[in-house]
Amino acid sequence: MLLLSVALAAVLIVALFVIGLRLVPRFVARAGRLSARLDAAHGAADTGTQPALCRLVRARTAPTRFRGLPLTLLTAAALYLAALMLGLTEDVLEADKVVTLDRIISALFDPWRAAPVITVFRWITAFGASPAIVASMIIATGFLFAEGRRAPILPLWITLAGAEITMSLGKLIVARPRPEAMLDTATFWSFPSGHATVAMAVYGYLAYAIARDLPNPHARFAIAYCTAVMIGLIGLSRVILNVHYASDIVGGFLVGGFWLLIGVIAAELLRPHKRSGQAAEERERR
């Protein structure tokens, strides 16, 4: 039964990857057409005769400038994740239903807690531990500096610092005990998960930094998908090793996702953006 579950999970991951690769060209084509329509509609209006409020709205919804629609959507997404995190924290503190659901989910993974699986997931969970995260940060910083891409370096460290501080404060405020009968060593409080938080923030940001300038959309999707699978497995490992509840992982992903978006926003604001004509010429040369 255990081997069948693992095989089905592996098949599902591969199938989703293949389906995603096939859908990427359609998505890129539709996104390009939508962007062109938005740009045409946005440029059709006369800004000179509009009130200040209308000009502000137009500036915040311009599809071809990062400080326009992209920044608006990223900011809205970050605020939404923050609201979800506050709601989840309140539920963990006050709602017995969350505790009951956590115990049910933990019990569902009992058949997975066999010696070979535990060994594999201890290896996976190490990628979310401090040594792996710090090593990834130092190596990424070195590569970015060597390539002359210095704009993403500061946001990378801001992302990690913000995620760590928020996660630590959350643990102190909620003070949730860890599950009993842990299958791996873990200290400090349980909510939110530190591994899930830093994995989402750091590996998510590194995936963004790598994929940001790749011209091939298939390569971008492959990096994003593989990173998402890795982050998901790190979160799953904490539940299977019984060092966290499922809601701890969700909380960690929300905190990490918030700081990931903050890091992306900071990196894009620091990035020397080129005019659309110059960007198009560069893409043609590639």
Side-chain angles (χ1 to χ4, degrees):
M1 185 64 181
L2 177 59
L3 291 176
L4 178 60
S5 300
V6 174
L8 288 175
V11 169
L12 179 61
I13 291 174
V14 174
L16 290 175
F17 179 73
V18 173
I19 293 172
L21 284 178
R22 290 182 176 273
L23 292 178
V24 163
R26 298 181 185 178
F27 175 79
V28 171
R30 291 182 180 179
R33 290 194 296 268
L34 178 59
S35 178
R37 291 175 183 175
L38 289 174
D39 192 30
H42 196 269
D46 179 20
T47 60
T49 60
Q50 291 179 340
L53 179 60
C54 293
R55 291 198 297 271
L56 176 63
V57 172
R58 279 175 48 80
R60 295 282 72 80
T61 57
T64 55
R65 296 172 55 251
F66 175 75
R67 294 176 183 269
L69 185 60
L71 178 59
T72 301
L73 293 177
L74 287 174
T75 303
L79 294 175
Y80 182 64
L81 291 183
L84 288 178
M85 181 59 190
L86 291 175
L88 179 60
T89 302
E90 183 180 1
D91 289 341
V92 170
L93 287 171
E94 299 179 359
D96 294 335
K97 292 182 180 179
V98 173
V99 177
T100 302
L101 181 60
D102 279 334
R103 290 173 179 171
I104 293 173
I105 294 174
S106 180
L108 291 175
F109 285 103
D110 281 341
W112 288 63
R113 294 181 175 118
V117 177
I118 294 301
T119 301
V120 171
F121 276 99
R122 280 178 178 166
W123 178 78
I124 292 173
T125 205
F127 284 95
S130 295
I133 294 296
V134 172
S136 299
M137 296 279 293
I138 294 174
I139 293 172
T141 300
F143 272 108
L144 290 171
F145 188 84
E147 291 181 356
R149 299 173 57 195
R150 302 183 183 182
I153 295 177
L154 179 60
L156 170 62
W157 289 93
I158 291 175
T159 299
L160 175 62
E164 285 280 2
I165 293 172
T166 306
M167 176 266 297
S168 299
L169 288 175
K171 286 180 178 290
L172 289 172
I173 293 171
V174 178
R176 187 185 198 185
R178 290 184 181 269
E180 299 178 359
M182 295 188 298
L183 300 175
D184 197 19
T185 57
T187 57
F188 211 21
W189 300 108
S190 185
F191 180 89
S193 166
H195 280 63
T197 299
V198 295
M200 175 65 76
V202 173
Y203 292 135
Y205 184 89
L206 293 180
Y208 151 78
I210 294 171
R212 174 63 175 82
D213 293 322
L214 293 179
N216 188 341
H218 289 92
R220 290 186 177 187
F221 172 78
I223 291 172
Y225 185 84
C226 292
T227 303
V229 171
M230 178 183 179
I231 294 170
L233 287 175
I234 291 173
L236 179 63
S237 71
R238 307 306 285 170
V239 176
I240 289 181
L241 295 175
N242 205 34
V243 293
H244 279 294
Y245 299 105
S247 58
D248 300 338
I249 307 304
V250 175
F253 284 161
L254 290 174
V255 174
F258 172 82
W259 283 103
L260 166 60
L261 293 176
I262 296 299
V264 170
I265 291 173
E268 289 294 329
L269 291 176
L270 292 174
R271 179 184 176 88
H273 289 276
K274 300 179 181 179
R275 294 179 180 178
S276 57
Q278 293 176 333
E281 290 177 3
E282 280 197 2
R283 285 194 296 268
E284 289 177 0
R285 285 198 297 268
R286 290 178 183 177

